[in-house]
Amino acid sequence: MKTILQKGDPQGIAMAVELLKNGEIVAIPTETVYGIAGDARRGDVVKKIFEAKGRPQDNPLIVHISDMDMLPRVVSSVPEDAKKLADAFWPGPLTIIMPKSPNISKENCAGLDSVGVRMPSDPVAHAIIAQSGIPLGAPSANLSGKPSPTSAEDVFADMDGRLPLIIDGGICARGVESTVISVLEDTPVLLRPGFVTKEEMEYVLQKPILVSSAIVDKLPEGEQPRSPGMKYKHYAPKANITIVEGDIDVFAAYVDEHGGDGVWALCFCGDEERLSAPCITYGREDDPAGQAQRLFSALRELDKNGAQTVYARCPSRDGIGLAVFNRLIRAAAFRLVQADAKP
Ligand code: TXA
Ligand code: MG
C-alpha cells in the first residue's frame, strides 16, 4: 500500500473525510499524540486499525467526538461525574470511560461494556471528526510497543505502507497521551495520568479519585536498582534506559562512572555542560509540561543516534510530572536507581 502524507489544510481534511466515510483508516494529528483513526461503529474497520498497529486485540480504542451532540451516539448514559469533567476539560486531553452504546462495535471496545470517549481540541482532528460525522476509534499511531508519535514524520517512520493517508498537523502541543479516568463507579479511578491532573479533576468533582496501582511502581527506600516488570515495557526505544534518581550532581557523577561506548544521557535542558556522555534533552527540570511535550520525540532521537545504554534524569511525580514519570518508567522497563552523591 502506498502511504500519502498530506498537510492538514482543507484539501487534506477532505481527503481524510472521504477515506473515513469509505471505511478506510487514516492517521490524524491530535493535541496529545497522532492517532490511527477509523469508524468505531464498524468492526471490520477497527480490525484494520489493530492490524496496522500490530496491537493485541484485547486493548480497547478511545472513541473521538467533535461536540457534545455526538456523545449520546457513543454512550448509553452519561454519569454525573462525566458531565462535570466534560464540562471542565473538553475539548482537551481527557478520556472518560462511560457505559458503551450498542452503536459502537464490540471490536472497538475489546468486548467490554464500557467505552473511553475523548473530544480532542486540535483543530484538524476536530474538523475531520465534525465533517465526517463519524465517531472515530483511534489508538496512538505508533507500532505497538514503540514510543507514541508526536509528529507526522514519526508516524511515517512506523506506518509507511500500512495505511493510505497521514495528515500532517505539525508537532503535537501536549506530547503525551490523554489522561484516562473511569467514572463507572461512585469513586472515579485514574487509569492513565496525562495533562489533566488528578488534583484538577478532584477539584472539579469535589471528591477523591483513586489512582490505579498500575500507574507507578512503588519504590522502596535504598539505592539498589530494581528491575522487575520487563513485560510492562512500553513506549520503548531500542536502547536500555535506566532512570537515575537524584539531582544533577548525583546524576553527573553516575554518568561519569558508567560512561562508555553507546552510552547516552537523557537529561534536562541545561544539564548538558555537566555531563561527560552525549545528551538528548527533554525539557527543563522545572517544566513538566515541556518534559511531556518532548519525551517521546527524545526517545525516538536516542534510537536515531544509535544509543544503546541511556541514563535518564528522573522527572517529579507531581501533577503533569506523574504523566511524564509513568511513560518514562515504562520506557525504562521499571529500571530505576537511587544513586548517592559522592562525598
Ligand atoms: O491521547 C490519546 O488518548 C491518544 C490520541 C490518539 O487520542 N490515544 C491513545 O490511545 O493513547 P491508545 O489506544 O494508545 O490508549 C488508550 C488507552 C489504553 O490504555 C486502553 O487500555 C484505555 O485507553 N482504554 C480504552 N478504552 C477503555 C475502556 N473501555 N476501559 C478501560 N480502559 C480503556
Ligand atoms: Mg498507545
Side-chain angles (χ1 to χ4, degrees):
M1 179 185 298
K2 175 139 178 57
T3 300
I4 298 171
L5 197 61
Q6 276 293 124
K7 281 214 162 58
D9 56 14
Q11 191 196 341
I13 290 167
M15 279 175 71
V17 167
E18 185 66 21
L19 283 167
L20 290 166
K21 283 185 171 167
N22 288 322
E24 274 307 330
I25 62 174
V26 176
I28 64 167
T30 83
E31 73 278 23
T32 56
V33 300
Y34 278 72
I36 307 173
D39 191 336
R41 300 166 300 185
R42 288 179 52 178
D44 60 326
V45 175
V46 169
K47 278 190 183 142
K48 290 186 197 175
I49 296 177
F50 280 104
E51 270 163 30
K53 221 181 129 64
R55 175 172 180 150
Q57 305 224 351
D58 60 357
N59 200 354
L61 307 183
I62 293 167
V63 174
H64 298 69
I65 60 174
S66 55
D67 50 75
M68 286 312 264
D69 294 347
M70 268 177 106
L71 187 58
R73 294 166 49 202
V74 304
V75 301
S76 61
S77 67
V78 184
E80 204 49 47
D81 287 344
K83 279 184 198 139
K84 290 181 189 163
L85 291 171
D87 217 35
F89 301 110
W90 281 0
L94 176 66
T95 295
I96 309 172
I97 312 289
M98 297 184 236
K100 169 186 169 302
S101 153
N103 290 331
I104 300 301
S105 65
K106 66 174 190 312
E107 288 84 356
N108 184 91
C109 297
L112 298 174
D113 48 20
S114 62
V115 60
V117 188
R118 172 163 121 72
M119 188 191 290
S121 62
D122 180 270
V124 176
H126 180 271
I128 291 170
I129 306 164
Q131 287 177 35
S132 65
I134 301 171
L136 294 177
S140 50
N142 51 296
L143 283 175
S144 204
K146 291 276 209 89
S148 293
T150 54
S151 70
E153 293 73 31
D154 289 351
V155 179
F156 195 81
D158 280 13
M159 289 297 149
D160 185 21
R162 292 176 164 262
L163 44 72
L165 179 65
I166 299 169
I167 298 296
D168 185 352
I171 306 281
C172 298
R174 297 311 192 191
V176 289
E177 308 90 338
S178 59
T179 305
V180 178
I181 188 167
S182 169
V183 294
L184 297 173
E185 311 286 339
D186 280 344
T187 301
V189 185
L190 182 66
L191 298 176
R192 181 172 75 182
F195 249 81
V196 176
T197 63
K198 170 176 175 272
E199 293 76 17
E200 289 174 305
M201 293 188 290
E202 284 179 332
Y203 180 77
V204 165
L205 296 176
Q206 289 294 304
K207 63 178 169 186
I209 292 171
L210 215 78
V211 176
S212 163
S213 59
I215 284 180
V216 209
D217 205 14
K218 276 265 183 294
L219 307 163
E221 299 301 317
E223 53 184 11
Q224 286 308 304
R226 33 182 297 113
S227 52
M230 287 302 287
K231 68 179 170 166
Y232 295 114
K233 191 166 174 179
H234 288 307
Y235 310 107
K238 293 178 195 130
N240 277 322
I241 300 183
T242 300
I243 304 175
V244 180
E245 201 157 23
D247 62 20
I248 180 61
D249 294 331
V250 168
F251 185 77
Y254 192 91
V255 171
D256 269 348
E257 198 177 318
H258 294 83
D261 272 357
V263 174
W264 284 66
L266 176 60
C267 63
F268 298 131
C269 301
D271 289 350
E272 304 96 309
E273 60 205 30
R274 299 285 313 276
L275 299 172
S276 51
C279 302
I280 298 287
T281 61
Y282 77 111
R284 291 198 329 265
E285 183 164 12
D286 61 355
D287 178 19
Q291 293 164 16
Q293 210 254 336
R294 274 279 302 149
L295 180 64
F296 286 135
S297 66
L299 293 177
R300 283 177 182 259
E301 275 171 48
L302 287 165
D303 271 357
K304 283 180 204 151
N305 282 290
Q308 276 152 26
T309 302
V310 173
Y311 297 110
R313 285 211 63 195
C314 189
S316 98
R317 296 165 180 75
D318 297 327
I320 295 169
L322 184 63
V324 181
F325 184 80
N326 169 266
R327 304 323 189 264
L328 186 56
I329 193 80
R330 277 162 178 73
F334 289 93
R335 278 184 298 270
L336 184 141
V337 294
Q338 278 166 332
D340 267 335
K342 290 260 160 15

